[in-house]
Amino acid sequence: MNTLFDKIWDAHVVQNIEDGPTQLYIDRLYCHEVTSPQAFAGMRARGLKCFRPERIYCMPDHNTPTHDQDKPIQDPVSKAQVDTLAKNATDFGLTHFGMMDKRNGIIHVVGPERGLTLPGMTIVCGDSHTSTHGAMGAVAFGIGTSEVEMVMASQCVLQSRPKTMRITIDGKLGKGVTAKDVALYMMSKMTTGGATGYFVEYAGEAIRSLSMEGRLTLCNLSIEMGARGGMIAPDEVTFEYIKGREYAPKGEEWDKALAYWKTLKSDDDAEFDKEVRYDAADIQPMITYGTNPGMGIAVAEHIPQTAGMTDVEKASFEKSLKYMGFEPGEQLLGKKVDYVFLGACTNGRIEDFRAFASIVKGRRKADDIIAWLVPGSWMVDMQIREEGIDKILEEAGFEIRQPGCSACLAMNDDKIPAGKYSVSTSNRNFEGRQGPGARTLLASPLTAAAAAVTGVITDPRTLM
């Protein structure tokens, strides 16, 4: 009768507070430099130590520059945040992967690739995109700074139990359709509030066919539908991905873990609070045209008209289009763009670089495009070089930057200038997200690559 979510949640309940939240045990806390300083300050003020320091991993990612990481950070705010995290990790006896450490990168890329994120875990971080880790069959969600402090002090968090939703995608995905397109398609149908209050489990043939990287991308974007988190039941794809990784169980421990992980799936008769179904055949390469991730269309479609909208919806829609410099009914194909960004915790993994390279191979970067290609971690950077992807990209006129969150958010040097158009593989296209006045169009690595070599918005299928 139980869903996958129920099984993991119930196994971690310390106590239920009557008419109140659940005290939930947390297996892993990830800390980055932006949302942890106040939590550490609170711990100091109360004279507390971390209750289970071995379950906490720290690394800077939001503020790290993506060039000259071996030199001091120039921006004083970024430098203060990165230095403070290093000091806090030392003072509290926590594992810290600092800049230039080969285990550093974006926290939501490093966790899975190092085997720190495992099926059946509860995982939190002071970052909304913690939902990424649900792809491994974990219950993972973002928390606020006061809750980060709560987990440091007690290894528990107080949480209201969310409702459950299953989104099933039947059938096979078409040519050029990636996990990013699946997510943008769902958001265009459900809106950015369609899953509010729910924990989503993704199921169906199209989901099972996704690689681990694709699943991580999909779960990463769950939060953009308003969901508390997203998850996918672990299977052979998951187990194969985890095996042999640095922090993964070994030997007898592996056999024991695997036996447990194989029980982590929703029962056949499990009941969800809500069920949603989509047909994979309806999904095409997508792109956003507005200022929230739910404002998306198939790349060859036209921006919607305002007919049938309420006055409130119309006002919001028109404000968004005005910011973007677009008109209702306009087609985006052939529109000139200025920047292309490949990276972020959404699409900074090795598979994303393979996809990008598959389009640019034998072609050249468009002259007036500025392209920032940013690996999600030093491990991804190493894989790019081992596979010769760096050579393909360099021959096409691209350079690879150093790992970090980069142009996903305007917290480091990689900012898109005001009024410029950026085709971005990141997760948010809010006003000013990539820099004050920047205009962001979210898309997959394939669609980003197509824009990078043509200089305009292009259907990637025409280049495949």
Side-chain angles (χ1 to χ4, degrees):
M1 280 294 288
N2 284 333
T3 69
L4 168 60
F5 172 82
D6 295 330
K7 289 179 181 182
I8 299 173
W9 180 276
D10 292 343
H12 288 80
V13 171
V14 177
Q15 60 175 328
N16 285 305
I17 296 158
E18 202 172 329
D19 299 325
T22 303
Q23 185 186 9
L24 197 70
Y25 182 77
I26 298 301
D27 292 308
R28 182 84 67 225
L29 169 65
Y30 292 124
C31 277
H32 61 65
E33 73 277 27
V34 180
T35 55
S36 66
Q38 297 89 341
F40 282 113
M43 293 286 283
R44 276 197 187 89
R46 294 192 291 157
L48 296 175
K49 293 190 168 88
C50 290
F51 182 58
R52 296 216 163 135
E54 73 284 357
R55 294 190 169 267
I56 304 172
Y57 285 78
C58 307
M59 71 197 79
D61 54 13
H62 283 53
N63 288 284
T64 53
T66 58
H67 52 84
D68 298 332
Q69 284 190 9
D70 53 342
K71 299 187 176 79
I73 298 175
Q74 294 301 303
D75 177 58
V77 175
S78 292
K79 185 177 189 317
Q81 290 201 309
V82 171
D83 291 350
T84 300
L85 179 66
K87 182 180 179 343
N88 282 329
T90 301
D91 289 355
F92 285 85
L94 306 177
T95 304
H96 176 248
F97 302 155
M99 265 169 43
M100 297 307 292
D101 184 314
K102 288 301 167 195
R103 294 163 300 178
N104 178 257
I106 304 172
I107 214 157
H108 305 313
V109 175
V110 173
E113 74 179 9
R114 290 283 163 189
L116 285 165
T117 297
L118 298 171
M121 277 187 164
T122 49
I123 297 169
V124 294
C125 173
D127 187 286
S128 57
H129 293 105
T130 308
S131 57
T132 309
H133 305 271
M136 313 287 292
V139 167
F141 51 91
I143 55 175
T145 299
S146 60
E147 293 168 312
V148 171
E149 185 182 340
M150 194 188 294
V151 178
M152 287 175 177
S154 68
Q155 207 57 39
C156 293
V157 72
L158 295 174
Q159 282 290 299
S160 297
R161 188 186 190 113
K163 292 181 288 187
T164 55
M165 180 191 295
R166 178 164 55 191
I167 299 178
T168 304
I169 302 183
D170 299 304
K172 290 181 167 59
L173 296 172
K175 174 183 169 181
V177 177
T178 70
K180 180 65 162 286
D181 301 303
V182 173
L184 291 173
Y185 175 82
M186 287 191 304
M187 283 185 265
S188 75
K189 296 294 179 198
M190 290 179 66
T191 76
T192 50
T196 302
Y198 291 92
F199 221 96
V200 176
E201 180 180 340
Y202 300 103
E205 183 186 358
I207 304 300
R208 290 272 153 246
S209 73
L210 294 174
S211 66
M212 205 61 239
E213 287 91 347
R215 295 174 185 194
L216 289 159
T217 296
L218 183 62
C219 289
N220 173 274
L221 288 155
S222 304
I223 190 75
E224 308 306 339
M225 298 190 297
R228 198 71 191 89
M231 62 196 312
I232 296 169
D235 59 11
E236 290 306 322
V237 173
T238 323
F239 311 145
E240 199 53 42
Y241 178 88
I242 297 168
K243 195 168 189 180
R245 292 189 182 264
E246 188 178 352
Y247 290 93
K250 310 281 190 298
E252 274 179 43
E253 287 298 313
W254 170 263
D255 297 336
K256 208 165 99 184
L258 191 61
Y260 167 56
W261 295 343
K262 286 181 175 176
T263 68
L264 294 175
K265 51 179 179 280
S266 291
D267 298 333
D268 293 341
D269 56 356
E271 285 185 17
F272 291 79
D273 294 307
K274 189 170 182 181
E275 292 263 13
V276 179
R277 292 195 101 89
Y278 295 111
D279 188 341
D282 296 335
I283 308 174
Q284 296 180 54
M286 300 283 293
I287 195 162
T288 61
Y289 59 86
T291 54
N292 73 57
M295 299 177 81
I297 49 173
V299 70
E301 285 177 355
H302 293 251
I303 294 171
Q305 300 280 3
T306 56
M309 291 184 187
T310 65
D311 289 348
V312 174
E313 287 168 343
K314 189 177 171 190
S316 169
F317 183 79
E318 286 174 345
K319 176 179 181 279
S320 186
L321 288 198
K322 188 178 178 200
Y323 179 85
M324 293 299 293
F326 296 147
E327 297 288 333
E330 192 178 354
Q331 190 174 33
L332 294 183
L333 276 185
K335 274 202 89 70
K336 193 178 169 317
V337 297
D338 307 291
Y339 283 76
V340 167
F341 170 51
L342 173 67
C345 58
T346 315
N347 284 118
R349 297 177 185 82
I350 186 61
E351 184 181 273
D352 304 310
F353 278 81
R354 288 176 191 145
F356 193 94
S358 74
I359 296 278
V360 307
K361 190 175 186 178
R363 297 185 169 97
R364 290 286 304 166
K365 180 180 80 64
D367 290 341
D368 40 8
I369 287 283
I370 294 172
W372 290 333
L373 314 187
V374 186
S377 69
W378 283 107
M379 185 187 277
V380 174
D381 181 82
M382 182 185 75
Q383 288 172 296
I384 287 168
R385 294 171 203 288
E386 280 176 357
E387 294 181 20
I389 293 170
D390 58 327
K391 300 283 184 288
I392 294 168
L393 296 172
E394 280 158 21
E395 278 166 22
F398 296 94
E399 64 166 306
I400 297 164
R401 294 170 88 88
Q402 291 175 316
C405 290
S406 183
C408 175
L409 77 177
M411 274 190 190
N412 50 66
D413 298 341
D414 301 350
K415 295 178 179 70
I416 309 296
K420 297 295 185 189
Y421 288 100
S422 158
V423 175
S424 176
T425 66
S426 52
N427 40 51
R428 287 186 177 153
N429 53 349
F430 305 154
E431 291 189 19
R433 170 76 176 182
Q434 290 194 292
R439 293 160 162 174
T440 302
L441 302 106
L442 300 177
S444 76
L446 293 174
T447 304
V453 294
T454 61
V456 298
I457 295 170
T458 302
D459 186 334
R461 294 172 296 191
T462 61
L463 301 181
M464 289 172 79

